[in-house]
């Protein structure tokens, strides 16, 4: 077998493989002899059909079968011989070779990954602790969550929930739009004044209105409004107030309040300790995730790679799949529902790059999965549930679920290897800064 390789682009090659005529002839002869003993041809007794007749009748078919078989057996050998790592199945073309068999295999290959620059990585590590003031803020949020709403006849004010029906009309170069965001079933649309859930200025116009009131006022839609027909345009709003509700007084932090969170027998002090412990677990997880993201972000910048197109396209398909599946569930017209490729491309490139680099590190550094860490991660995840032992059993009862955790742990071990070689500087942030960043 002869093999030659031509580089057709940065990550594409054309490999030409030639199988000698002697190999092909031996296989042809054996196949023809076997067929001659079985084939029936008019004018000849069974088993007595001359080889040249069988060849004339079936030679092309047999040669095509042998060509396919030889490709399947020689292609992996040729790849190994030339140390080629293909990304996908090749494009095969059989060339005209009267005696032997010659084919070309065109395929994209994986890039060469050089890890030397990883020692120069710069990584900023976020650092934070849970302060007493953070616990106070969290408990205040829990108090607000326990508030109830009650109808009021007074004019609406900051903090009230106003149920409305409304419309917006704008006229811009002849463009006129009708009512928007109005529930035709008659259910109200609730707005908390001061929550900034509506466009700027809208909630301010609700202050002072009472049940049954109607108000018309002008506003300008933001430039980045999600409806292009309204974005950046002046509009006339009309609001009908269905009802006004005021929040009840904030509950006291007492034994009854603690019981409402399922902590029977706990005291206010122990409740505070439980809240702090939960916040510390959430903070630790957020810090780990953000540090991991910082390390991987630095890896991405430090080790630029040319990427095979086929891997990018596959990852774009993976990223788009949830949106397409959701569209199908909503029975949308799939021919009209087309997602622009470019909204996924940057994320796809990042994922493919990091996947290739991490795999290279794991192979070159022989990083072995630590089963003890797998158990620790599963048990840590289980802490958030009422019966942690059942959650642990849930993961260990199914190999697929457990493999997802194993893959995550192996990636974390690789990040640890990277972090040990990086130049790390700490950045102290507050609990809220870390958690706000986590939610974005």
């Amino acid at each position: 077998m002869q093999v030659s390789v031509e580089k057709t682009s940065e990550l594409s090659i054309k490999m030409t493989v030639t199988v000698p005529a002697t190999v092909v002839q031996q296989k042809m002869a054996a196949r023809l002899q076997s067929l001659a003993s079985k084939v029936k041809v008019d004018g000849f007794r069974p088993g007595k059909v001359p080889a040249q007749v069988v060849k004339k009748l079936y030679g092309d078919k047999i040669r095509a079968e042998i060509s396919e078989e030889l490709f399947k057996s020689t292609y992996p050998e040729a790849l190994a011989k030339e140390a080629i790592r293909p990304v996908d199945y090749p494009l095969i073309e059989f060339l005209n070779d009267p005696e032997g068999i010659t084919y070309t295999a065109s395929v994209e290959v994986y890039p060469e990954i050089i890890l030397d620059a990883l020692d120069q990585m710069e990584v900023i590590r976020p650092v934070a602790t849970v302060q007493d003031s953070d616990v106070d803020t969290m408990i205040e949020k829990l108090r607000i969550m326990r508030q109830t709403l009650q109808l009021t006849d007074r004019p609406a004010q900051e903090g009230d929930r106003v149920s409305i029906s409304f419309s917006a009309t704008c006229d811009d170069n002849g463009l006129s739009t009708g009512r928007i965001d109005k529930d035709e079933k008659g259910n109200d649309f609730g707005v908390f004044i001061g929550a900034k859930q509506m466009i700027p200025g809208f909630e301010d116009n609700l202050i002072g209105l009472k049940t049954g009131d109607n108000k018309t006022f002008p506003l300008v839609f933001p430039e980045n409004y999600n409806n292009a027909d309204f974005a950046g345009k002046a509009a006339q709003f009309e609001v009908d107030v269905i009802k006004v509700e005021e929040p009840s007084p904030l509950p006291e932090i007492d034994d009854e309040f603690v019981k409402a969170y399922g902590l029977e027998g706990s005291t206010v002090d122990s409740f505070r300790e439980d809240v702090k412990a939960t916040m510390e677990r959430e903070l630790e997880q957020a810090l780990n995730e953000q540090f991991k993201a910082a390390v991987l972000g630095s890896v991405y910048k430090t080790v630029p790679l040319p990427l095979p197109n086929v891997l990018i396209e596959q990852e774009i398909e993976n990223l788009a799949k949830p949106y397409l599946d959701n569209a199908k569930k909503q029975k949308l017209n799939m021919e009209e529902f087309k997602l622009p490729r470019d909204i996924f491309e940057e994320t796809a490139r990042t994922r493919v790059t990091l996947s290739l680099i991490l795999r290279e590190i794991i192979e070159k550094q022989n990083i072995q999965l630590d089963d003890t860490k797998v158990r620790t991660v599963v048990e840590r995840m289980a802490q958030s549930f009422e019966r942690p032992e059942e959650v642990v059993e849930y993961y260990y009862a199914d190999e697929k679920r457990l493999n997802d955790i194993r893959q995550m742990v192996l990636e974390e071990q690789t990040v640890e290897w990277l972090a040990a070689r990086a130049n790390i500087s700490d950045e102290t942030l507050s609990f809220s800064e870390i958690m706000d960043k986590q939610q974005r």
Side-chain angles (χ1 to χ4, degrees):
M1 178 179 70
Q2 293 180 341
V3 181
S4 63
V5 178
E6 174 190 357
K7 189 172 183 179
T8 56
S9 72
E10 187 174 19
L11 291 179
S12 298
I13 60 101
K14 178 186 284 188
M15 183 171 65
T16 303
V17 179
T18 298
V19 180
T22 53
V23 174
V24 178
Q25 290 167 3
Q26 287 173 2
K27 289 184 175 291
M28 283 287 293
R31 196 70 57 88
L32 289 170
Q33 184 178 358
S34 174
L35 190 58
S37 64
K38 304 172 185 176
V39 72
K40 293 181 180 180
V41 178
D42 291 343
F44 297 96
R45 287 181 296 166
K48 300 297 183 178
V49 182
Q52 62 267 29
V53 174
V54 177
K55 184 176 182 180
K56 183 177 180 180
L57 291 173
Y58 301 102
D60 290 345
K61 181 181 177 182
I62 293 173
R63 183 176 173 84
E65 292 174 353
I66 291 173
S67 295
E68 188 65 27
E69 292 170 5
L70 285 171
F71 159 70
K72 290 180 180 179
S73 63
T74 59
Y75 179 65
E77 294 178 15
L79 291 177
K81 180 180 179 182
E82 299 296 327
I84 293 172
R85 295 196 304 157
V87 172
D88 200 9
Y89 196 80
L91 176 64
I92 300 300
E93 180 182 1
F94 285 94
L95 305 182
N96 184 22
D97 186 342
E99 301 299 328
I101 288 176
T102 301
Y103 64 85
T104 62
S106 300
V107 68
E108 280 193 297
V109 297
Y110 285 99
E112 181 183 6
I113 302 175
I114 300 174
L115 304 175
D116 297 347
L118 291 176
D119 290 338
Q120 281 77 53
M121 282 197 312
E122 301 285 341
V123 179
I124 296 176
R125 175 171 52 197
V127 177
T129 57
V130 177
Q131 303 294 321
D132 287 341
S133 58
D134 298 320
V135 180
D136 293 337
T137 300
M138 180 60 69
I139 291 177
E140 189 67 14
K141 289 180 180 178
L142 295 175
R143 291 180 71 197
I144 294 172
M145 290 171 60
R146 300 298 301 176
Q147 276 186 304
T148 58
L149 295 170
Q150 51 197 22
L151 289 172
T152 180
D153 292 330
R154 63 165 174 75
Q157 62 187 29
E158 184 99 4
D160 288 348
R161 183 184 189 272
V162 183
S163 298
I164 61 172
S165 172
F166 71 97
S167 66
T169 304
C170 67
D171 192 345
D172 182 33
N173 295 325
L175 172 65
S176 180
T177 57
R179 297 180 76 86
I180 61 170
D181 294 324
K182 182 183 186 309
D183 192 333
E184 299 299 335
K185 296 179 181 178
N187 297 328
D188 58 71
F189 184 88
V191 179
F192 281 94
I193 299 179
K196 299 180 179 179
Q197 68 188 91
M198 306 297 284
I199 68 171
F202 188 97
E203 292 167 24
D204 293 340
N205 277 282
L206 301 182
I207 295 175
L209 299 182
K210 297 190 295 184
T211 301
D213 282 353
N214 172 276
K215 184 178 181 180
T216 301
F217 53 90
L219 279 180
V220 177
F221 280 93
E223 292 289 344
N224 61 348
Y225 192 66
N226 56 15
N227 187 329
D229 289 340
F230 290 86
K233 297 172 183 176
Q236 195 75 4
F237 284 83
E238 183 181 359
V239 173
D240 293 311
V241 179
I242 298 171
K243 62 183 176 181
V244 177
E245 296 170 291
E246 62 180 354
S248 63
L250 288 172
E252 294 296 326
I253 307 298
D254 53 20
D255 291 346
E256 289 301 314
F257 181 85
V258 171
K259 286 180 184 178
Y261 284 91
L263 300 173
E264 194 73 32
S266 296
T267 64
V268 172
D269 287 340
S270 64
F271 171 69
R272 185 181 178 86
E273 291 173 2
D274 287 340
V275 170
K276 185 175 183 179
T278 300
M279 293 173 68
E280 287 175 337
R281 284 198 300 270
E282 293 175 351
L283 177 62
E284 180 184 10
Q285 180 178 348
L287 288 172
N288 288 338
E289 290 177 2
Q290 290 179 26
F291 179 56
K292 176 181 175 180
V295 171
L296 294 178
S298 183
V299 170
Y300 183 72
K301 293 177 183 177
T302 305
V303 187
L305 292 180
L307 300 177
N309 291 322
V310 64
L311 294 184
I312 297 173
E313 294 303 322
Q314 288 173 358
E315 190 59 35
I316 288 175
E317 287 181 11
N318 292 336
L319 291 169
K321 188 176 185 303
Y323 298 92
L324 296 174
D325 289 345
N326 187 52
K328 288 178 182 177
K329 288 180 182 178
Q330 297 182 34
K331 298 182 178 179
L332 299 179
N333 187 332
M334 297 308 294
E335 292 182 1
E336 297 178 0
F337 186 80
K338 292 186 178 180
L339 294 168
R341 179 184 181 281
D342 57 0
I343 66 175
F344 300 111
E345 185 167 1
E346 184 177 352
T347 301
R349 285 184 171 278
T350 302
R351 287 190 177 188
V352 171
T353 299
L354 291 175
S355 174
L356 293 176
I357 294 172
L358 293 181
R359 185 174 69 179
E360 184 78 3
I361 293 172
I362 291 170
E363 291 178 359
K364 290 288 179 63
Q365 302 301 321
N366 194 28
I367 297 176
Q368 301 295 318
L369 179 68
D370 188 333
D371 288 325
T372 302
K373 288 188 176 182
V374 173
R375 184 80 185 190
T376 300
V377 168
V378 172
E379 290 176 349
R380 186 177 65 213
M381 293 168 61
Q383 288 179 3
S384 303
F385 294 86
E386 189 174 345
R387 295 183 177 85
E389 65 283 354
E390 292 182 4
V391 177
V392 173
E393 290 177 8
Y394 168 81
Y395 278 101
Y396 276 88
D398 186 282
E399 278 296 309
K400 185 179 183 303
R401 287 194 290 262
L402 193 58
N403 281 337
D404 290 340
I405 305 298
R406 288 169 176 154
Q407 186 61 39
M408 181 180 72
V409 170
L410 186 58
E411 185 175 288
E412 289 179 354
Q413 289 179 232
T414 310
V415 170
E416 290 173 4
W417 183 90
L418 286 162
R421 283 148 185 81
N423 301 310
I424 299 174
S425 56
D426 291 343
E427 179 185 20
T428 302
L429 300 170
S430 67
F431 173 83
S432 60
E433 286 174 322
I434 293 293
M435 301 313 293
D436 288 347
K437 185 177 179 182
Q438 191 74 359
Q439 294 171 4
R440 289 200 292 269

